[in-house]
Every structure is written in structure tokens, then in C-alpha cells.
Amino acid sequence: MNNDLRLSVVGVGLRPIDTRLGRFVLRLIGIVLLLGNGSLWAQQTKIYEQEPYDVITLNAANQGRILRVLPLDLPERRVVPSSNPNATLRIRLVDNPDEEIDVAWGGIEKIDLFEDRVLRRARQLVRSREFDDAFEHLGFLQNSYPNTVGLEETVDSLLFAEASALYRERRFDRALLLLNEVYQRNPNRRGLVTALTRVSQALFAERIKSQDYRDARRIVQIADDQYGSNLADSVRNWKRQLQSIAEDALGEARQYSDDGND
């Protein structure tokens, strides 16, 4: 099986490398080819702006060779290795796109799809809080590779992470807007209700402090309408606080009226 793989690859000019130095050089080349996984090259040239290609890593029996290939013709772009030991995968090398090669599935260690590399880069950008760049990568995937596994979860993570950063910057309006988007997409996301409560509370307190009671009531109404039982306790507390403020204001008005009648 592995011999068949070597023959099919060698048949189009890829020579096996047997020397220790040769194997080192080949692996070094492979590292260079895979710099799109978040290295300096990826930072200089955004992955999604590159010509798309997939990466096949062969197994140890084939010296762990790394092949850059044109995007593979896979059903729904899902890597599902064949259970047939004699099955082959047809590829075209980036450096020789006009010639097709059959590679035995049994000789493949892993396949790294172009869209998966873009997604990994987006996740790196989310972790480093480079939200604008992350959004660009994810927007590209949503337009060009909408079925990428893990895409929607990463979009949620981006929105949630940026909302958290905005909360720390006390930009509560924007943070609540992003959290609401997450809620519309995935209301059961872990930690979302806690974050919504915290941000809504901060926004409500800010409005109360500035005596913007109209907007404070609007925040309460939105929380009640959109999040229902999830924020029910907070909504009740906020309503009681507004009621107390209204009663205090009414008492002051009556006192002022009484004083004026003396």
C-alpha cells in the first residue's frame, strides 16, 4: 500500500529523499509552506487573501512529506478518509497544477484544508483581541466557506470576547449590542446570561447616576422583552428601584407644594 503511494508520487517527478540531510531539508521546506498557520508570513499577508490551497501531510512511511495541493474536490469540503485500503485521493500539486496524481489514502497522515487554516488564524486573532482582523477572516469564511466546521462557534466567541473588552472599557452600550447578537444566534451559550446581566446592570446604573430615567426605563423594557425569564430577577429589582425613585420624586414634589402653601 505504501509502496503504491511512493510509486504514484514518484511517477510525476517527486523523488524520495533517503539521506538524513535530505529529510531535514524536506521538513524545513514543509515548515515554510505551512507558515500560513499563524506565523510572521500570515501576519504580513492575510491568509484569506492568498490563493487557496490545501496541505497534505504523508505518514512516516513516506518520510512525512508535505504536499501543497489545489483545493481538494471533497463532498461538502469534509475530510472523510476512505475505509478501503486501496482507495486513492486525486490531487493536483500547486507547483504542477496541470497534472493529476493519485495518492493512497493509507499513506496520508492528515489533511489541512485552506478554510481550516483561515479559521485557526481567526481564533488566534480573537485570543489576541485583534477583533477587526478576526472579523475580516470570519466574514471571508461566511461568504466563501459557510460550511466550515466551527465557524459559527468562532463568530460567537468573537462577539462575546469583544463585548467583554468593551465592558472593561465601560462602553456598555456597544457591549450590550454585541451580547444581544450572540443571544439571537445562540441563547444557550455558556456564560451569556451572566454577561447580559452584568452589562445591563452597569448600563442601568450609569443611566440612574446621570438621572436619565427615561433611558433607564428603556433598558429595563428591552431586558424584559428580549431576555424574559433569563433576567427576570434583575428586571424586578430595576423596576423596584425606578418605582422608589418615582415615589421619592413625588414626595419631594408634594413637600415643595406644601411649603409653597404656607
Side-chain angles (χ1 to χ4, degrees):
M1 177 170 57
N2 291 328
N3 289 334
D4 292 340
L5 170 65
R6 284 195 291 272
L7 286 174
S8 64
V9 173
V10 172
V12 294
L14 291 179
R15 294 175 296 174
I17 299 177
D18 297 323
T19 67
R20 184 175 304 174
L21 177 60
R23 284 194 294 271
F24 171 78
V25 171
L26 185 55
R27 290 181 185 276
L28 181 60
I29 292 173
I31 292 172
V32 172
L33 295 179
L34 289 176
L35 282 177
N37 287 343
S39 65
L40 180 60
W41 173 261
Q43 295 172 11
Q44 294 173 342
T45 302
K46 295 176 181 178
I47 295 176
Y48 70 87
E49 294 176 336
Q50 301 175 14
E51 286 296 322
Y53 65 87
D54 299 332
V55 178
I56 297 177
T57 301
L58 303 182
N59 58 22
N62 293 279
Q63 293 91 42
R65 283 177 287 184
I66 295 173
L67 308 177
R68 286 198 315 164
V69 302
L70 297 186
L72 298 167
D73 184 13
L74 300 171
E76 298 183 3
R77 290 286 290 172
R78 296 285 191 272
V79 177
V80 182
S82 175
S83 58
N84 181 356
N86 298 317
T88 59
L89 176 66
R90 182 152 294 182
I91 67 171
R92 289 187 295 162
L93 298 173
V94 169
D95 294 334
N96 188 18
D98 296 328
E99 193 161 4
E100 293 183 328
I101 308 170
D102 288 328
V103 177
W105 272 104
I108 296 175
E109 181 72 23
K110 68 175 181 178
I111 295 177
D112 195 13
L113 300 179
F114 171 70
E115 57 267 36
D116 290 338
R117 296 201 307 280
V118 176
L119 185 64
R120 284 200 301 275
R121 179 57 180 157
R123 287 171 173 165
Q124 290 175 345
L125 291 167
V126 171
R127 287 194 294 271
S128 61
R129 299 182 185 179
E130 298 174 71
F131 300 124
D132 289 343
D133 281 348
F135 178 81
E136 290 179 5
H137 284 70
L138 295 175
F140 166 80
L141 290 175
Q142 286 182 317
N143 289 329
S144 302
Y145 298 88
N147 297 321
T148 302
V149 176
L151 172 57
E152 295 308 312
E153 293 86 344
T154 305
V155 172
D156 291 344
S157 296
L158 166 61
L159 295 170
F160 194 88
E162 186 168 7
S164 298
L166 289 167
Y167 172 79
R168 288 190 291 271
E169 296 170 4
R170 302 187 64 81
R171 297 167 64 186
F172 303 132
D173 281 304
R174 176 65 178 167
L176 186 58
L177 182 65
L178 295 183
L179 289 176
N180 181 67
E181 178 66 19
V182 178
Y183 188 85
Q184 301 305 316
R185 292 168 50 85
N186 181 15
N188 298 318
R189 190 186 195 281
R190 187 175 65 179
L192 177 57
V193 171
T194 299
L196 279 168
T197 302
R198 184 181 297 117
V199 173
S200 297
Q201 173 61 47
L203 191 56
F204 177 80
E206 189 177 68
R207 296 299 187 266
I208 293 297
K209 184 177 180 180
S210 63
Q211 298 185 352
D212 188 352
Y213 302 125
R214 175 179 295 180
D215 207 44
R217 287 192 294 271
R218 180 186 65 84
I219 293 167
V220 174
Q221 191 62 50
I222 290 175
D224 198 12
D225 292 343
Q226 295 193 12
Y227 312 125
S229 61
N230 287 317
L231 267 67
D233 291 342
S234 295
V235 167
R236 281 193 292 269
N237 290 334
W238 298 336
K239 286 182 177 179
R240 282 196 294 266
Q241 191 171 345
L242 286 171
Q243 181 65 27
S244 177
I245 291 172
E247 290 173 354
D248 289 346
L250 181 59
E252 290 177 2
R254 286 174 177 169
Q255 183 65 44
Y256 178 80
S257 178
D258 291 344
D259 291 345
N261 291 329
D262 290 340

